[in-house]
Amino acid sequence: MSSQPAPAAKGHAAPGLAYNMAGITVLLLLLAVGAAYLIDELGRQTRAPVPALTDGNPITQTIAGRELAIPTSWFRYGEQLRDGFTNQIDLQVMLTASDGAALPVNVTLLPRSRVRTSASLLDRVYVHQFTGATLGGVAGLVGKPMRNENGYAGESVWYDALSPNPFVAKCLAAADGAGSEQCVRTVYLPSGMAVVYAFDATALQSWRQFDGEMAQWLSRIGAN
């Protein structure tokens, strides 16, 4: 009697295929995790360092007739990393808040002719746009919301009502209502140029030391 090979069992192929698919899935997961770690590591390597008063490697730039030596780590935009003349410099420095936290402050240096100070705008413009309400929450400052007209919707002004040359900052609520307010303060420097500070509204709690701390950074580069 001739023997013939028995036909292969039909159920054997399915478990083999399942094991192969499971192996492929595990491999893809491992690759995904590896890629995530690689991206995170690259992010750590390319993340901009926190600016410090002790930073070196300066760029020499001249603005409003003043020559400044600015550490490269302070610049907000890479395209400004060049020596020479300019009409605007965009930096980021750090404010030490009253609770010890370090808060970033964006600093824009400009010729005086391009901006007006926040203190001058308080009497000439802002006061005419105030509503009757008064905001609280910042010791020593008066907070006044602006009318929802003339482009001031969602804005408020915080100022020191007791000083002849007051601290003044205009703040704008986050568009989505979820983020924190962002504030702007403009002052003229003794050097003859102007500076615009942009910062998170939480920094208002440290308004008394704000200008003094900013003066340290500006003096460090020759801008004050």
Side-chain angles (χ1 to χ4, degrees):
M1 180 181 293
S2 60
S3 61
Q4 295 182 356
K10 293 183 179 180
H12 290 175
L17 178 60
Y19 286 131
N20 289 338
M21 292 300 295
I24 293 173
T25 301
V26 171
L27 179 60
L28 291 175
L29 287 173
L30 290 173
L31 290 173
V33 172
Y37 277 113
L38 177 60
I39 292 172
D40 181 68
E41 183 61 27
L42 289 174
R44 292 174 186 271
Q45 293 176 4
T46 58
R47 193 172 298 140
V50 175
L53 284 168
T54 55
D55 289 340
N57 192 24
I59 298 291
T60 301
Q61 295 189 345
T62 301
I63 181 171
R66 189 90 169 189
E67 186 176 271
L68 311 179
I70 310 168
T72 56
S73 58
W74 294 16
F75 283 87
R76 296 209 310 269
Y77 307 118
E79 57 267 26
Q80 292 188 346
L81 291 173
R82 51 181 173 76
D83 296 321
F85 291 86
T86 185
N87 60 5
Q88 180 169 322
I89 300 174
D90 299 290
L91 311 173
Q92 185 177 89
V93 302
M94 305 302 292
L95 170 72
T96 303
S98 53
D99 61 359
L103 301 175
V105 177
N106 288 341
V107 174
T108 300
L109 295 168
L110 302 161
R112 284 192 179 189
S113 58
R114 292 181 55 184
V115 291
R116 287 190 288 176
T117 68
S118 297
S120 67
L121 290 172
L122 175 65
D123 293 329
R124 299 178 185 179
V125 179
Y126 298 156
V127 70
H128 304 293
Q129 303 296 329
F130 290 161
T131 68
T134 299
L135 303 172
V138 181
L141 292 183
V142 176
K144 300 292 290 185
M146 311 281 271
R147 295 194 185 99
N148 292 329
E149 55 189 38
N150 300 324
Y152 293 109
E155 297 188 3
S156 59
V157 173
W158 294 84
Y159 63 97
D160 173 16
L162 302 178
S163 174
N165 183 28
F167 177 98
V168 181
K170 183 162 69 74
C171 302
L172 175 65
D176 57 4
S180 59
E181 287 186 287
Q182 298 299 309
C183 303
V184 173
R185 168 168 168 74
T186 303
V187 299
Y188 287 160
L189 300 176
S191 60
M193 69 184 73
V195 58
V196 181
Y197 301 114
F199 51 91
D200 190 279
T202 55
L204 290 175
Q205 301 294 339
S206 306
W207 69 271
R208 287 186 174 89
Q209 62 257 42
F210 186 95
D211 287 339
E213 286 217 23
M214 293 299 103
Q216 295 182 51
W217 293 86
L218 296 174
S219 296
R220 166 73 171 74
I221 62 176
N224 212 358

